[in-house]
Amino acid sequence: MGLRSLLDVAAPAKLNLFLHVVGRRADGYHLLQSVFVLIDWCDTLHFERRADGRLARHDLGAALPDDDLCLRAARLLQAESGTRLGADISIDKHVPWGAGMGGGSSDAASTLLALNRLWGLNLPRERLAALGLKLGADVPFFIGGHNAFVEGIGERLTPLPVPRAWFAVVKPPAAIATSAIFGSPLLVRNTEAVILAGFLADTAGGFGRNDLQAPAEAHCAEVGVAREILQRRFGNARMTGSGSAVFARAGTGAEPTAAMPADLPPGWVGRMCRSLEQHPLVGWAPD
């Protein structure tokens, strides 16, 4: 009869260790270079197979939009595979919205991986990644399963071994629309392309920058405040992705080099995270 349910399915967030905008395509999409690293700040999803083909989402925590990326991912996989099965999808949301940490994209990727298994489809990882790209530029990374050097609009992935490290992450309440960042006149769009060897040769952990940070701080002062808080404590801080979350490296040993600031402003969230060597669902699709 096959699987009836998949419970406690992890959807980890990511950090952009750097993010450079190196050009722009004729269709308006920006060309990026970045290193994406998985961290242990995760959403948790539960999947129950349905025989009637219906897809239903149940929010165990904060209410999500009516038509979120998980439902869109499930519908896309149904259409691609022709399956008549459906699913109840329950989401326990922990990764903050609008943070630049890929929470929604990660949920969509875990949905594709889980339903591919729950429905017995056995589609290969490459095909799932192609479907994921239709949902969002970050989705293929989470399907790929490994930390990666990312190029293009997010579709070109080079798996990258990144030593495990601690990261202090702070998210102010504000969420920043990606369109506001990429439409800003402050955005640098011609950063010189780098080669992977340059990142690997940087042992201090300060390689590159986030080209989206200047327009984000101009749009939302809280991003700059968050950066200053972590800069004072850890000596290095930058924004991740296009959202409002800021992170700082906190060492590679058994314990972080310093504790998270305990006096964050009301409504802010902060967490000491550990990077992951690979995605928890890395073996859930054939290569």
Side-chain angles (χ1 to χ4, degrees):
M1 294 293 292
L3 292 171
R4 293 186 177 275
S5 64
L6 288 168
L7 306 179
D8 299 318
V9 176
K14 59 82 178 167
L15 297 175
N16 298 78
L17 298 191
F18 71 91
L19 198 167
H20 295 169
V21 181
V22 299
R24 198 172 189 179
R25 301 194 319 194
D27 60 6
Y29 281 94
H30 289 79
L31 298 172
L32 310 175
Q33 286 187 316
S34 186
V35 166
F36 285 14
V37 172
L38 297 157
I39 58 173
D40 61 0
W41 197 341
C42 302
D43 294 336
T44 303
L45 293 81
H46 312 282
F47 300 87
E48 304 265 357
R49 193 182 68 190
R50 296 179 65 114
D52 61 4
R54 184 168 177 263
L55 297 170
R57 195 197 69 229
H58 312 280
D59 299 334
L60 303 181
L64 302 179
D66 290 340
D67 190 32
D68 75 316
L69 276 177
C70 289
L71 287 176
R72 290 167 56 193
R75 285 200 304 270
L76 185 60
L77 188 59
Q78 274 186 330
E80 177 75 9
S81 65
T83 184
R84 295 185 177 182
L85 296 173
D88 284 299
I89 306 171
S90 300
I91 304 179
D92 191 4
K93 188 73 180 168
H94 296 282
V95 178
W97 285 95
M101 296 165 63
S105 295
S106 185
D107 293 345
S110 289
T111 296
L112 290 173
L113 289 163
L115 292 181
N116 186 48
R117 195 176 193 189
L118 187 65
W119 292 340
L121 304 177
N122 207 36
L123 299 181
R125 188 180 312 277
E126 183 177 0
R127 193 167 170 192
L128 293 178
L131 291 178
L133 189 58
K134 296 180 180 181
L135 299 166
D138 289 348
V139 181
F141 162 71
F142 292 105
I143 292 173
H146 298 279
N147 299 320
F149 181 53
V150 181
E151 299 179 275
I153 62 170
E155 83 285 8
R156 293 164 53 194
L157 304 171
T158 302
L160 184 66
V162 178
R164 293 202 71 187
W166 294 98
F167 294 95
V169 184
V170 168
K171 166 68 170 65
I176 304 175
T178 303
S179 59
I181 302 302
F182 282 103
S184 171
L186 298 176
L187 178 62
V188 175
R189 296 178 170 87
N190 60 349
T191 295
E192 185 176 353
V194 301
I195 59 173
L196 184 55
F199 171 79
L200 295 174
D202 174 56
T203 57
F207 183 86
R209 61 181 182 271
N210 186 342
D211 283 336
L212 311 186
Q213 185 168 310
E217 290 189 5
H219 183 78
C220 175
E222 289 180 339
V223 175
V225 174
R227 177 177 53 79
E228 290 171 2
I229 290 172
L230 291 183
Q231 186 73 26
R232 289 195 299 267
R233 177 64 60 93
F234 298 98
N236 68 93
R238 64 178 54 162
M239 190 179 77
T240 180
S242 62
S244 58
V246 174
F247 71 93
R249 294 174 180 269
T252 57
E255 299 291 338
T257 53
M260 278 291 300
D263 55 348
L264 294 176
W268 292 42
V269 293
R271 179 166 172 166
M272 185 63 72
C273 299
R274 199 88 191 268
S275 63
L276 303 175
E277 293 181 350
Q278 61 185 22
H279 196 287
L281 312 185
V282 67
W284 281 33
D287 291 318

